[in-house]
Short mmCIF file of all heavy atoms in Angstrom, two decimals:
data_model
loop_
_atom_site.label_atom_id
_atom_site.label_comp_id
_atom_site.label_asym_id
_atom_site.label_seq_id
_atom_site.Cartn_x
_atom_site.Cartn_y
_atom_site.Cartn_z
N ASN A 254 94.78 -177.13 -73.50
CA ASN A 254 94.67 -178.55 -73.18
C ASN A 254 93.37 -179.16 -73.69
O ASN A 254 93.37 -180.24 -74.28
CB ASN A 254 94.69 -178.68 -71.65
CG ASN A 254 95.68 -179.71 -71.21
OD1 ASN A 254 95.72 -180.79 -71.76
ND2 ASN A 254 96.50 -179.35 -70.24
N ASN A 258 93.11 -181.83 -76.73
CA ASN A 258 92.45 -183.13 -76.55
C ASN A 258 91.38 -183.34 -77.60
O ASN A 258 91.25 -184.43 -78.16
CB ASN A 258 91.79 -183.21 -75.16
CG ASN A 258 92.78 -183.54 -74.07
OD1 ASN A 258 93.93 -183.84 -74.34
ND2 ASN A 258 92.32 -183.48 -72.82
N LYS A 261 93.07 -184.19 -80.75
CA LYS A 261 93.75 -185.49 -80.70
C LYS A 261 92.77 -186.66 -80.64
O LYS A 261 92.93 -187.65 -81.31
CB LYS A 261 94.63 -185.56 -79.44
CG LYS A 261 96.02 -185.00 -79.62
CD LYS A 261 97.00 -185.53 -78.58
CE LYS A 261 96.65 -185.14 -77.16
NZ LYS A 261 97.75 -185.39 -76.21
N TYR A 262 91.77 -186.52 -79.77
CA TYR A 262 90.89 -187.68 -79.53
C TYR A 262 89.54 -187.55 -80.19
O TYR A 262 88.79 -188.52 -80.27
CB TYR A 262 90.71 -187.91 -78.02
CG TYR A 262 92.02 -187.94 -77.27
CD1 TYR A 262 92.38 -186.91 -76.42
CD2 TYR A 262 92.90 -189.00 -77.46
CE1 TYR A 262 93.59 -186.92 -75.75
CE2 TYR A 262 94.12 -189.02 -76.80
CZ TYR A 262 94.46 -187.98 -75.95
OH TYR A 262 95.66 -187.99 -75.30
N ASP A 293 83.58 -181.50 -79.50
CA ASP A 293 84.05 -182.23 -80.70
C ASP A 293 83.00 -183.24 -81.13
O ASP A 293 82.09 -183.57 -80.38
CB ASP A 293 85.40 -182.90 -80.41
CG ASP A 293 85.31 -184.05 -79.43
OD1 ASP A 293 84.65 -185.06 -79.76
OD2 ASP A 293 85.89 -183.94 -78.33
N ILE A 298 83.35 -190.62 -75.27
CA ILE A 298 83.97 -191.35 -74.16
C ILE A 298 82.87 -192.13 -73.45
O ILE A 298 81.79 -191.59 -73.18
CB ILE A 298 84.61 -190.35 -73.16
CG1 ILE A 298 85.57 -189.41 -73.89
CG2 ILE A 298 85.33 -191.08 -72.05
CD1 ILE A 298 85.87 -188.14 -73.13
N LEU A 306 88.34 -189.19 -65.53
CA LEU A 306 89.21 -188.54 -66.53
C LEU A 306 90.18 -187.53 -65.94
O LEU A 306 91.27 -187.34 -66.47
CB LEU A 306 88.36 -187.83 -67.59
CG LEU A 306 87.72 -188.69 -68.68
CD1 LEU A 306 87.11 -187.80 -69.72
CD2 LEU A 306 88.75 -189.62 -69.31
N TYR A 311 95.21 -190.86 -65.68
CA TYR A 311 94.11 -191.68 -66.19
C TYR A 311 93.92 -191.43 -67.67
O TYR A 311 93.78 -190.29 -68.11
CB TYR A 311 92.81 -191.38 -65.44
CG TYR A 311 91.73 -192.41 -65.76
CD1 TYR A 311 91.66 -193.61 -65.07
CD2 TYR A 311 90.81 -192.17 -66.78
CE1 TYR A 311 90.71 -194.55 -65.38
CE2 TYR A 311 89.84 -193.11 -67.09
CZ TYR A 311 89.80 -194.29 -66.39
OH TYR A 311 88.85 -195.23 -66.70
N ARG A 312 93.91 -192.49 -68.46
CA ARG A 312 93.71 -192.38 -69.90
C ARG A 312 92.77 -193.48 -70.34
O ARG A 312 92.85 -194.61 -69.83
CB ARG A 312 95.05 -192.52 -70.62
CG ARG A 312 95.93 -191.31 -70.37
CD ARG A 312 97.32 -191.48 -70.92
NE ARG A 312 98.13 -192.27 -70.02
CZ ARG A 312 99.44 -192.15 -69.91
NH1 ARG A 312 100.08 -191.28 -70.64
NH2 ARG A 312 100.11 -192.90 -69.08
N VAL A 313 91.88 -193.16 -71.27
CA VAL A 313 90.94 -194.18 -71.72
C VAL A 313 91.70 -195.24 -72.49
O VAL A 313 91.54 -196.44 -72.27
CB VAL A 313 89.86 -193.54 -72.62
CG1 VAL A 313 88.95 -194.62 -73.18
CG2 VAL A 313 89.06 -192.51 -71.84
N SER A 318 97.18 -192.67 -76.19
CA SER A 318 97.60 -191.40 -75.61
C SER A 318 99.12 -191.28 -75.63
O SER A 318 99.69 -190.26 -75.98
CB SER A 318 97.06 -191.27 -74.19
OG SER A 318 97.81 -190.34 -73.46
N GLY A 323 101.08 -188.05 -75.05
CA GLY A 323 100.32 -187.59 -73.88
C GLY A 323 100.88 -188.14 -72.57
O GLY A 323 101.43 -189.23 -72.53
N THR A 324 100.74 -187.36 -71.52
CA THR A 324 101.21 -187.84 -70.21
C THR A 324 100.05 -188.24 -69.31
O THR A 324 100.24 -188.83 -68.27
CB THR A 324 101.99 -186.73 -69.47
OG1 THR A 324 101.10 -185.62 -69.27
CG2 THR A 324 103.18 -186.27 -70.27
N GLY A 325 98.82 -187.89 -69.70
CA GLY A 325 97.68 -188.22 -68.86
C GLY A 325 97.53 -187.25 -67.69
O GLY A 325 96.75 -187.49 -66.77
N LEU A 326 98.28 -186.15 -67.74
CA LEU A 326 98.20 -185.17 -66.64
C LEU A 326 97.38 -183.94 -67.04
O LEU A 326 97.00 -183.13 -66.19
CB LEU A 326 99.59 -184.73 -66.21
CG LEU A 326 100.44 -185.81 -65.54
CD1 LEU A 326 101.87 -185.31 -65.33
CD2 LEU A 326 99.84 -186.22 -64.22
N GLY A 327 97.11 -183.82 -68.34
CA GLY A 327 96.45 -182.61 -68.85
C GLY A 327 95.18 -182.23 -68.10
O GLY A 327 95.05 -181.11 -67.59
N LEU A 328 94.24 -183.16 -68.01
CA LEU A 328 92.96 -182.83 -67.38
C LEU A 328 93.08 -182.64 -65.87
O LEU A 328 92.31 -181.90 -65.26
CB LEU A 328 91.90 -183.89 -67.70
CG LEU A 328 91.40 -183.87 -69.16
CD1 LEU A 328 90.43 -185.02 -69.41
CD2 LEU A 328 90.71 -182.55 -69.47
N PHE A 354 83.44 -180.50 -73.22
CA PHE A 354 84.12 -180.13 -71.98
C PHE A 354 83.69 -178.72 -71.64
O PHE A 354 83.90 -177.80 -72.44
CB PHE A 354 85.64 -180.24 -72.12
CG PHE A 354 86.13 -181.66 -72.15
CD1 PHE A 354 85.91 -182.46 -73.26
CD2 PHE A 354 86.77 -182.21 -71.05
CE1 PHE A 354 86.34 -183.79 -73.28
CE2 PHE A 354 87.20 -183.53 -71.06
CZ PHE A 354 86.99 -184.32 -72.18
N1 ATP B 426 87.77 -184.83 -76.41
C1 ATP B 426 88.05 -186.07 -76.02
N2 ATP B 426 87.50 -187.14 -76.66
C2 ATP B 426 87.79 -188.40 -76.27
N3 ATP B 426 88.61 -188.72 -75.25
C3 ATP B 426 89.19 -187.71 -74.56
C4 ATP B 426 88.94 -186.34 -74.91
N4 ATP B 426 89.63 -185.56 -74.05
C5 ATP B 426 90.28 -186.41 -73.22
N5 ATP B 426 90.03 -187.69 -73.53
C6 ATP B 426 90.55 -188.88 -72.82
O1 ATP B 426 90.97 -188.46 -71.54
C7 ATP B 426 92.30 -188.87 -71.29
C8 ATP B 426 92.97 -187.90 -70.34
O2 ATP B 426 93.20 -186.65 -70.97
P1 ATP B 426 94.42 -185.75 -70.48
O3 ATP B 426 94.38 -184.48 -71.23
O4 ATP B 426 94.38 -185.71 -69.00
O5 ATP B 426 95.69 -186.61 -70.87
P2 ATP B 426 96.43 -186.81 -72.29
O6 ATP B 426 95.80 -185.95 -73.33
O7 ATP B 426 96.49 -188.28 -72.52
O8 ATP B 426 97.87 -186.29 -71.98
P3 ATP B 426 98.38 -184.76 -71.95
O9 ATP B 426 97.19 -183.87 -71.83
O10 ATP B 426 99.28 -184.71 -70.77
O11 ATP B 426 99.10 -184.57 -73.23
C9 ATP B 426 92.93 -188.97 -72.66
O12 ATP B 426 94.01 -189.88 -72.66
C10 ATP B 426 91.78 -189.49 -73.50
O13 ATP B 426 91.69 -190.89 -73.37
#
Side-chain angles (χ1 to χ4, degrees):
N254 230 313
N258 280 353
K261 274 201 296 193
Y262 310 110
D293 69 64
I298 306 160
L306 282 188
Y311 191 85
R312 290 173 280 209
V313 176
S318 159
T324 61
L326 292 172
L328 288 176
F354 286 73

